[in-house]
Coordinates of all heavy atoms in Angstrom, one line a residue:
M1 N 0.9 -1.2 0.0 CA 0.0 0.0 0.1 C 0.9 1.2 0.0 O 1.9 1.2 0.6 CB -0.9 0.0 1.2 CG -2.0 1.0 1.1 SD -3.0 0.6 -0.2 CE -4.5 1.4 0.3
L2 N 0.5 2.3 -0.7 CA 1.2 3.5 -0.8 C 1.0 4.3 0.5 O 0.0 4.5 1.1 CB 0.7 4.3 -2.0 CG 1.0 3.9 -3.3 CD1 0.3 4.8 -4.4 CD2 2.5 4.0 -3.6
E3 N 2.1 5.0 0.8 CA 2.1 6.0 1.9 C 1.7 7.4 1.2 O 1.8 7.4 -0.1 CB 3.5 6.2 2.5 CG 4.0 5.0 3.1 CD 3.2 4.6 4.3 OE1 2.8 5.5 5.0 OE2 3.1 3.4 4.6
S4 N 1.3 8.3 2.0 CA 0.9 9.7 1.4 C 1.9 10.3 0.6 O 1.7 10.8 -0.6 CB 0.4 10.6 2.5 OG 0.2 11.9 2.0
D5 N 3.1 10.4 1.1 CA 4.3 11.0 0.3 C 4.6 10.2 -1.0 O 4.8 10.8 -2.1 CB 5.5 11.1 1.2 CG 5.5 12.2 2.2 OD1 4.4 13.0 2.0 OD2 6.2 12.2 3.1
E6 N 4.5 8.8 -1.0 CA 4.8 8.1 -2.1 C 3.6 8.3 -3.2 O 4.0 8.3 -4.3 CB 4.7 6.6 -1.7 CG 5.9 6.1 -0.9 CD 5.8 4.7 -0.5 OE1 4.7 4.1 -0.3 OE2 6.9 4.0 -0.3
Y7 N 2.5 8.5 -2.7 CA 1.3 8.8 -3.6 C 1.6 10.1 -4.3 O 1.4 10.1 -5.5 CB 0.0 8.8 -2.9 CG -1.0 9.4 -3.7 CD1 -1.8 8.7 -4.7 CD2 -1.5 10.7 -3.5 CE1 -2.7 9.1 -5.4 CE2 -2.5 11.2 -4.3 CZ -3.1 10.4 -5.3 OH -4.1 11.0 -6.0
K8 N 2.0 11.1 -3.6 CA 2.3 12.4 -4.2 C 3.3 12.4 -5.4 O 3.2 12.9 -6.4 CB 2.7 13.4 -3.2 CG 1.5 13.8 -2.3 CD 2.1 14.7 -1.1 CE 1.0 14.9 0.0 NZ 1.6 15.6 1.1
I9 N 4.4 11.6 -5.0 CA 5.5 11.5 -6.0 C 5.0 10.7 -7.2 O 5.2 11.1 -8.4 CB 6.7 10.8 -5.3 CG1 7.2 11.5 -4.1 CG2 7.8 10.5 -6.3 CD1 8.0 12.7 -4.4
L10 N 4.3 9.6 -7.0 CA 3.9 8.7 -8.0 C 2.8 9.4 -8.9 O 2.9 9.3 -10.1 CB 3.3 7.5 -7.5 CG 3.1 6.2 -8.2 CD1 4.5 5.8 -8.9 CD2 2.6 5.0 -7.5
K11 N 2.0 10.2 -8.3 CA 1.0 10.9 -9.1 C 1.7 11.9 -10.0 O 1.3 12.1 -11.1 CB 0.0 11.6 -8.1 CG -1.0 12.4 -8.7 CD -2.1 11.4 -9.2 CE -3.3 12.2 -9.7 NZ -4.3 11.3 -10.3
K12 N 2.7 12.7 -9.5 CA 3.5 13.6 -10.3 C 4.2 12.9 -11.5 O 4.0 13.4 -12.6 CB 4.5 14.3 -9.5 CG 5.3 15.4 -10.2 CD 4.3 16.5 -10.7 CE 5.1 17.5 -11.5 NZ 4.2 18.5 -12.0
I13 N 4.7 11.8 -11.2 CA 5.4 11.0 -12.3 C 4.3 10.6 -13.4 O 4.6 10.7 -14.5 CB 6.2 9.9 -11.8 CG1 7.3 10.4 -10.9 CG2 6.8 9.0 -12.9 CD1 8.1 9.3 -10.1
A14 N 3.2 10.2 -12.9 CA 2.1 9.7 -13.9 C 1.6 10.9 -14.7 O 1.3 10.7 -15.8 CB 1.0 9.1 -13.0
E15 N 1.6 12.1 -14.1 CA 1.1 13.3 -14.8 C 2.0 13.6 -16.0 O 1.6 14.0 -17.0 CB 1.0 14.4 -13.9 CG -0.2 14.4 -13.0 CD -0.2 15.4 -11.9 OE1 0.8 16.3 -11.9 OE2 -1.0 15.4 -11.0
V16 N 3.3 13.5 -15.8 CA 4.3 14.0 -16.8 C 4.9 12.8 -17.6 O 5.6 13.1 -18.5 CB 5.4 14.9 -16.1 CG1 4.9 16.1 -15.5 CG2 6.2 14.1 -15.1
Q17 N 4.6 11.6 -17.2 CA 5.2 10.5 -17.8 C 6.6 10.1 -17.6 O 7.0 8.9 -17.3 CB 4.7 10.4 -19.4 CG 3.3 10.5 -19.6 CD 2.5 9.3 -19.1 OE1 2.9 8.2 -19.2 NE2 1.4 9.6 -18.5
V18 N 7.4 11.0 -17.8 CA 8.8 10.9 -17.8 C 9.4 12.1 -17.0 O 9.1 13.2 -17.3 CB 9.6 10.8 -19.1 CG1 11.1 10.7 -19.0 CG2 8.9 9.5 -19.9
I19 N 10.3 11.9 -16.0 CA 10.8 13.1 -15.2 C 12.3 12.7 -14.7 O 12.5 11.6 -14.4 CB 9.9 13.5 -14.1 CG1 10.2 14.8 -13.5 CG2 9.8 12.3 -13.0 CD1 9.2 15.4 -12.5
T20 N 13.1 13.7 -14.7 CA 14.4 13.4 -14.0 C 14.3 13.5 -12.5 O 13.3 14.2 -12.1 CB 15.5 14.5 -14.6 OG1 15.1 15.7 -14.1 CG2 15.7 14.4 -16.0
K21 N 15.2 13.0 -11.8 CA 15.3 13.1 -10.4 C 15.4 14.7 -10.0 O 14.7 15.1 -9.0 CB 16.3 12.3 -9.8 CG 15.9 11.2 -8.9 CD 17.0 10.6 -8.1 CE 16.6 9.2 -7.8 NZ 17.8 8.5 -7.0
Y22 N 16.1 15.3 -10.8 CA 16.4 16.8 -10.5 C 15.0 17.6 -10.6 O 14.8 18.3 -9.7 CB 17.4 17.4 -11.5 CG 17.7 18.8 -11.3 CD1 18.4 19.4 -10.3 CD2 17.1 19.7 -12.2 CE1 18.5 20.7 -10.2 CE2 17.2 21.0 -12.2 CZ 18.0 21.6 -11.1 OH 18.1 22.9 -11.0
D23 N 14.3 17.3 -11.7 CA 13.0 18.0 -11.8 C 12.0 17.6 -10.7 O 11.2 18.4 -10.2 CB 12.5 17.8 -13.2 CG 13.2 18.5 -14.2 OD1 13.8 19.6 -13.9 OD2 13.2 18.0 -15.4
L24 N 12.1 16.3 -10.4 CA 11.2 15.9 -9.3 C 11.6 16.6 -8.0 O 10.7 17.0 -7.2 CB 11.3 14.4 -9.1 CG 10.3 13.7 -8.3 CD1 8.9 13.8 -8.9 CD2 10.6 12.2 -8.2
A25 N 12.8 16.8 -7.7 CA 13.3 17.4 -6.5 C 12.9 18.9 -6.5 O 12.5 19.5 -5.5 CB 14.8 17.3 -6.3
K26 N 12.9 19.5 -7.7 CA 12.4 20.9 -7.7 C 11.0 21.0 -7.4 O 10.5 22.0 -6.8 CB 12.7 21.5 -9.2 CG 14.1 21.9 -9.4 CD 14.3 22.7 -10.7 CE 13.5 22.3 -11.8 NZ 13.8 23.1 -13.0
N27 N 10.1 20.0 -7.8 CA 8.7 20.1 -7.7 C 8.4 19.8 -6.2 O 7.3 20.2 -5.7 CB 8.0 19.0 -8.5 CG 7.9 19.6 -9.9 OD1 7.1 20.5 -10.2 ND2 8.6 19.0 -10.8
F28 N 9.2 19.0 -5.6 CA 9.0 18.6 -4.1 C 10.1 19.1 -3.2 O 10.6 18.2 -2.5 CB 8.8 17.1 -4.1 CG 7.5 16.6 -4.8 CD1 7.6 16.1 -6.0 CD2 6.3 16.7 -4.1 CE1 6.5 15.6 -6.6 CE2 5.2 16.3 -4.8 CZ 5.2 15.7 -6.1
S29 N 10.5 20.3 -3.3 CA 11.7 20.8 -2.5 C 11.4 20.7 -1.0 O 12.3 20.5 -0.2 CB 11.9 22.2 -2.9 OG 10.8 23.1 -2.6
N30 N 10.1 20.7 -0.5 CA 9.7 20.5 0.8 C 10.0 19.1 1.3 O 10.2 18.9 2.6 CB 8.3 20.9 1.1 CG 7.3 20.1 0.3 OD1 7.6 19.7 -0.8 ND2 6.2 19.8 0.9
M31 N 10.1 18.1 0.5 CA 10.3 16.7 0.8 C 11.9 16.4 0.6 O 12.2 15.2 0.7 CB 9.5 15.8 0.0 CG 8.1 15.7 0.4 SD 7.4 14.3 -0.6 CE 5.8 15.0 -1.0
N32 N 12.6 17.3 0.2 CA 14.0 16.9 -0.3 C 14.8 16.0 0.5 O 15.4 15.1 -0.1 CB 14.8 18.3 -0.7 CG 15.7 18.2 -1.8 OD1 15.7 17.1 -2.5 ND2 16.6 19.1 -2.0
P33 N 14.8 16.3 1.8 CA 15.7 15.3 2.6 C 15.2 13.8 2.4 O 16.0 12.9 2.6 CB 15.5 15.8 4.1 CG 15.0 17.1 3.9 CD 14.3 17.2 2.6
H34 N 13.9 13.6 2.2 CA 13.4 12.2 2.1 C 13.1 11.8 0.8 O 12.7 10.7 0.5 CB 12.1 12.3 3.0 CG 12.2 12.8 4.3 ND1 12.9 12.1 5.4 CD2 11.8 13.9 4.9 CE1 12.8 12.8 6.4 NE2 12.2 13.9 6.2
L35 N 13.3 12.6 -0.3 CA 12.8 12.3 -1.7 C 13.6 11.1 -2.1 O 13.0 10.2 -2.7 CB 13.1 13.5 -2.5 CG 12.7 13.4 -3.9 CD1 11.2 13.2 -4.1 CD2 13.1 14.5 -4.8
N36 N 14.9 11.0 -1.9 CA 15.7 9.8 -2.4 C 15.2 8.5 -1.8 O 15.1 7.5 -2.5 CB 17.2 10.0 -2.2 CG 17.8 11.0 -3.1 OD1 17.3 11.2 -4.2 ND2 18.9 11.6 -2.7
K37 N 14.9 8.6 -0.5 CA 14.3 7.3 0.1 C 13.0 7.0 -0.5 O 12.8 5.8 -0.7 CB 14.2 7.6 1.7 CG 13.9 6.4 2.5 CD 14.9 5.4 2.4 CE 14.6 4.3 3.3 NZ 15.3 3.0 3.1
I38 N 12.1 8.0 -0.7 CA 10.8 7.7 -1.2 C 11.0 7.0 -2.6 O 10.2 6.0 -3.0 CB 9.9 9.0 -1.3 CG1 9.6 9.4 0.2 CG2 8.6 8.7 -2.1 CD1 9.1 10.8 0.3
V39 N 11.8 7.7 -3.4 CA 12.0 7.2 -4.8 C 12.6 5.8 -4.8 O 12.1 4.9 -5.5 CB 13.0 8.1 -5.6 CG1 13.5 7.5 -6.9 CG2 12.2 9.5 -5.9
E40 N 13.5 5.5 -3.9 CA 14.1 4.1 -3.7 C 13.0 3.2 -3.4 O 13.0 2.0 -3.9 CB 15.2 4.1 -2.6 CG 16.5 4.6 -3.1 CD 17.5 4.7 -2.0 OE1 17.5 3.8 -1.0 OE2 18.4 5.5 -1.9
N41 N 12.1 3.5 -2.4 CA 11.1 2.7 -2.0 C 10.2 2.3 -3.1 O 9.6 1.2 -3.3 CB 10.3 3.2 -0.8 CG 11.0 3.2 0.4 OD1 12.0 2.3 0.6 ND2 10.6 4.0 1.4
L42 N 9.8 3.4 -4.0 CA 8.9 3.1 -5.1 C 9.5 2.3 -6.2 O 8.9 1.4 -6.7 CB 8.5 4.5 -5.7 CG 7.6 5.4 -4.9 CD1 7.5 6.7 -5.5 CD2 6.2 4.8 -4.8
M43 N 10.8 2.4 -6.3 CA 11.5 1.5 -7.3 C 11.6 0.1 -6.8 O 11.4 -0.9 -7.4 CB 13.0 2.0 -7.5 CG 13.0 3.2 -8.4 SD 14.6 4.0 -8.6 CE 15.1 2.8 -9.9
K44 N 11.8 -0.1 -5.4 CA 11.9 -1.5 -4.8 C 10.5 -2.1 -5.0 O 10.4 -3.4 -5.2 CB 12.2 -1.4 -3.3 CG 13.7 -1.2 -3.1 CD 14.0 -1.1 -1.7 CE 15.5 -0.7 -1.4 NZ 15.8 -0.6 0.1
K45 N 9.4 -1.4 -4.9 CA 8.0 -1.9 -5.0 C 7.7 -2.2 -6.4 O 6.6 -2.8 -6.8 CB 7.0 -0.9 -4.4 CG 7.1 -0.8 -2.9 CD 6.2 0.2 -2.3 CE 6.3 0.3 -0.8 NZ 5.3 1.3 -0.3
G46 N 8.5 -1.6 -7.3 CA 8.2 -1.8 -8.8 C 7.2 -0.8 -9.4 O 6.8 -1.0 -10.5
Y47 N 6.9 0.3 -8.7 CA 6.0 1.2 -9.1 C 6.6 2.2 -10.1 O 5.9 2.8 -10.9 CB 5.5 2.0 -7.9 CG 4.6 1.2 -7.0 CD1 4.4 1.5 -5.7 CD2 4.1 -0.1 -7.4 CE1 3.7 0.9 -4.9 CE2 3.3 -0.9 -6.6 CZ 3.2 -0.4 -5.3 OH 2.3 -1.2 -4.3
I48 N 8.0 2.4 -10.1 CA 8.7 3.2 -11.0 C 9.9 2.6 -11.5 O 10.4 1.6 -10.8 CB 9.0 4.7 -10.4 CG1 9.9 4.6 -9.2 CG2 7.7 5.4 -10.2 CD1 10.4 5.9 -8.7
A49 N 10.4 3.0 -12.6 CA 11.7 2.4 -13.1 C 12.6 3.5 -13.6 O 12.1 4.6 -13.8 CB 11.4 1.5 -14.4
N50 N 13.8 3.3 -13.6 CA 14.9 4.2 -14.0 C 15.2 3.9 -15.4 O 15.6 2.7 -15.6 CB 16.0 4.1 -13.1 CG 17.0 5.3 -13.1 OD1 16.7 6.2 -14.0 ND2 18.0 5.3 -12.4
V51 N 15.1 4.8 -16.3 CA 15.6 4.5 -17.8 C 16.5 5.7 -18.1 O 16.5 6.7 -17.5 CB 14.3 4.5 -18.7 CG1 13.4 3.4 -18.4 CG2 13.6 5.8 -18.7
S52 N 17.3 5.4 -19.2 CA 18.3 6.4 -19.6 C 18.3 6.6 -21.1 O 18.2 5.6 -21.9 CB 19.6 5.9 -19.1 OG 20.6 6.8 -19.6
F53 N 18.2 7.8 -21.5 CA 18.3 8.3 -22.9 C 19.4 9.3 -22.9 O 19.3 10.3 -23.4 CB 17.0 8.9 -23.4 CG 15.7 8.1 -23.2 CD1 14.8 8.5 -22.2 CD2 15.5 6.9 -23.9 CE1 13.6 7.8 -22.0 CE2 14.4 6.2 -23.7 CZ 13.4 6.6 -22.8
G54 N 20.6 8.9 -22.3 CA 21.7 9.8 -22.3 C 21.6 10.4 -20.8 O 22.6 10.8 -20.2
T55 N 20.4 10.7 -20.4 CA 20.1 11.3 -19.0 C 19.2 10.3 -18.3 O 18.4 9.6 -19.0 CB 19.4 12.6 -19.1 OG1 20.2 13.5 -19.9 CG2 19.1 13.2 -17.8
S56 N 19.3 10.2 -17.0 CA 18.5 9.2 -16.3 C 17.1 9.8 -16.0 O 17.0 10.9 -15.4 CB 19.2 9.0 -14.9 OG 18.5 8.0 -14.2
Y57 N 16.1 9.1 -16.3 CA 14.7 9.5 -16.0 C 14.0 8.5 -15.2 O 14.3 7.2 -15.3 CB 14.0 9.6 -17.4 CG 14.5 10.7 -18.3 CD1 15.4 10.5 -19.3 CD2 14.0 12.0 -18.2 CE1 15.9 11.5 -20.1 CE2 14.5 13.1 -19.0 CZ 15.4 12.8 -20.0 OH 15.8 13.8 -20.7
L58 N 12.9 8.9 -14.5 CA 12.0 8.1 -13.8 C 10.7 7.9 -14.6 O 10.2 9.0 -15.1 CB 11.8 8.6 -12.4 CG 13.0 8.8 -11.5 CD1 12.6 9.6 -10.3 CD2 13.6 7.5 -11.1
V59 N 10.2 6.7 -14.7 CA 8.9 6.5 -15.4 C 8.1 5.6 -14.5 O 8.5 4.8 -13.8 CB 9.1 5.9 -16.8 CG1 9.9 6.7 -17.7 CG2 9.8 4.5 -16.7
I60 N 6.8 5.8 -14.6 CA 5.8 5.0 -13.9 C 5.6 3.6 -14.6 O 5.6 3.6 -15.8 CB 4.5 5.8 -13.7 CG1 3.7 5.0 -12.6 CG2 3.7 5.9 -15.0 CD1 2.5 5.8 -12.1
T61 N 5.5 2.6 -13.9 CA 5.3 1.3 -14.5 C 3.7 1.0 -14.4 O 3.0 1.7 -13.7 CB 6.0 0.2 -13.7 OG1 5.5 0.2 -12.3 CG2 7.5 0.4 -13.7
N62 N 3.3 -0.2 -15.0 CA 2.0 -0.6 -14.8 C 1.5 -0.9 -13.4 O 0.5 -0.5 -13.0 CB 1.7 -1.9 -15.8 CG 1.8 -1.6 -17.2 OD1 1.5 -0.4 -17.6 ND2 2.0 -2.6 -18.0
S63 N 2.5 -1.4 -12.6 CA 2.2 -1.7 -11.2 C 2.0 -0.3 -10.5 O 1.1 -0.3 -9.6 CB 3.4 -2.5 -10.6 OG 3.6 -3.6 -11.1
G64 N 2.8 0.7 -10.9 CA 2.6 2.0 -10.2 C 1.2 2.6 -10.6 O 0.5 3.2 -9.7
M65 N 0.8 2.3 -11.8 CA -0.6 2.9 -12.3 C -1.7 2.2 -11.4 O -2.6 2.7 -10.9 CB -0.8 2.7 -13.7 CG 0.1 3.6 -14.6 SD -0.2 5.4 -14.3 CE -1.8 5.6 -14.8
R66 N -1.6 0.9 -11.3 CA -2.5 0.1 -10.5 C -2.5 0.5 -9.0 O -3.6 0.7 -8.3 CB -2.2 -1.4 -10.6 CG -2.7 -2.0 -11.8 CD -2.7 -3.5 -11.8 NE -1.4 -4.1 -11.5 CZ -0.5 -4.4 -12.5 NH1 -0.8 -4.1 -13.8 NH2 0.6 -4.9 -12.3
A67 N -1.3 0.8 -8.4 CA -1.2 1.3 -7.1 C -1.9 2.7 -6.9 O -2.6 2.9 -5.9 CB 0.3 1.4 -6.6
L68 N -1.7 3.5 -7.9 CA -2.4 4.8 -7.9 C -3.9 4.6 -7.8 O -4.7 5.3 -7.1 CB -2.1 5.7 -9.1 CG -0.8 6.5 -9.0 CD1 -0.6 7.2 -10.4 CD2 -0.7 7.4 -7.9
W69 N -4.4 3.8 -8.7 CA -5.9 3.6 -8.8 C -6.4 3.0 -7.5 O -7.4 3.4 -7.2 CB -6.2 2.6 -10.0 CG -5.9 3.1 -11.3 CD1 -5.9 4.4 -11.8 CD2 -5.5 2.4 -12.5 NE1 -5.5 4.5 -13.0 CE2 -5.3 3.3 -13.6 CE3 -5.2 1.0 -12.7 CZ2 -4.9 2.9 -14.8 CZ3 -4.8 0.6 -13.9 CH2 -4.7 1.5 -15.1
E70 N -5.7 2.0 -6.9 CA -6.1 1.4 -5.7 C -6.1 2.5 -4.6 O -7.0 2.5 -3.8 CB -5.2 0.3 -5.2 CG -5.3 -1.0 -6.1 CD -6.7 -1.5 -6.0 OE1 -7.3 -1.6 -4.8 OE2 -7.3 -1.9 -7.0
Y71 N -5.1 3.4 -4.5 CA -5.0 4.4 -3.6 C -6.1 5.3 -3.6 O -6.7 5.8 -2.6 CB -3.7 5.1 -3.6 CG -3.4 6.1 -2.6 CD1 -2.7 5.6 -1.3 CD2 -3.8 7.4 -2.5 CE1 -2.5 6.6 -0.3 CE2 -3.5 8.3 -1.5 CZ -2.9 7.9 -0.4 OH -2.6 8.8 0.6
E72 N -6.5 5.7 -4.8 CA -7.5 6.7 -5.1 C -9.0 6.1 -4.9 O -9.9 7.0 -4.9 CB -7.3 7.3 -6.4 CG -6.1 8.1 -6.6 CD -5.8 8.6 -8.0 OE1 -6.4 8.1 -8.9 OE2 -4.9 9.5 -8.1
K73 N -9.2 4.9 -4.7 CA -10.5 4.3 -4.6 C -11.1 4.6 -3.3 O -10.5 4.8 -2.3 CB -10.5 2.8 -4.7 CG -10.4 2.3 -6.1 CD -10.5 0.8 -6.1 CE -10.5 0.3 -7.5 NZ -10.6 -1.2 -7.6

């Protein structure tokens, strides 16, 4: 199950489809000390993946989309 902060991060990634960690940190500067841990937890759960097109990006997975839907029910 998603935590509130995990939901916020996952929802943002779902909105933009692809985002760098840097841009994510700019959007959630109030969570900055915990952001890396939240991102790591989401990756461990399989809700997001790290892909590279020369730069490292975070993308939401199908599992992440299902987790969002379940959280929002």
Side-chain angles (χ1 to χ4, degrees):
M1 193 61 160
L2 287 174
E3 301 292 326
S4 176
D5 287 343
E6 290 176 332
Y7 169 76
K8 291 174 191 170
I9 302 281
L10 201 55
K11 184 73 172 176
K12 180 63 179 178
I13 294 171
E15 288 171 3
V16 296
Q17 300 298 316
V18 176
I19 193 167
T20 63
K21 246 191 205 179
Y22 174 77
D23 289 332
L24 196 60
K26 283 194 320 188
N27 284 293
F28 293 99
S29 58
N30 59 326
M31 285 188 217
N32 211 9
H34 307 287
L35 185 63
N36 283 336
K37 185 68 173 164
I38 294 168
V39 168
E40 283 177 30
N41 286 340
L42 289 171
M43 289 180 78
K44 284 179 187 174
K45 292 177 180 180
Y47 295 159
I48 60 175
N50 194 0
V51 296
S52 181
F53 307 109
T55 301
S56 185
Y57 294 95
L58 300 172
V59 297
I60 192 165
T61 64
N62 288 337
S63 296
M65 291 302 292
R66 281 193 298 275
L68 278 178
W69 295 329
E70 288 296 317
Y71 187 89
E72 291 173 348
K73 282 186 180 179

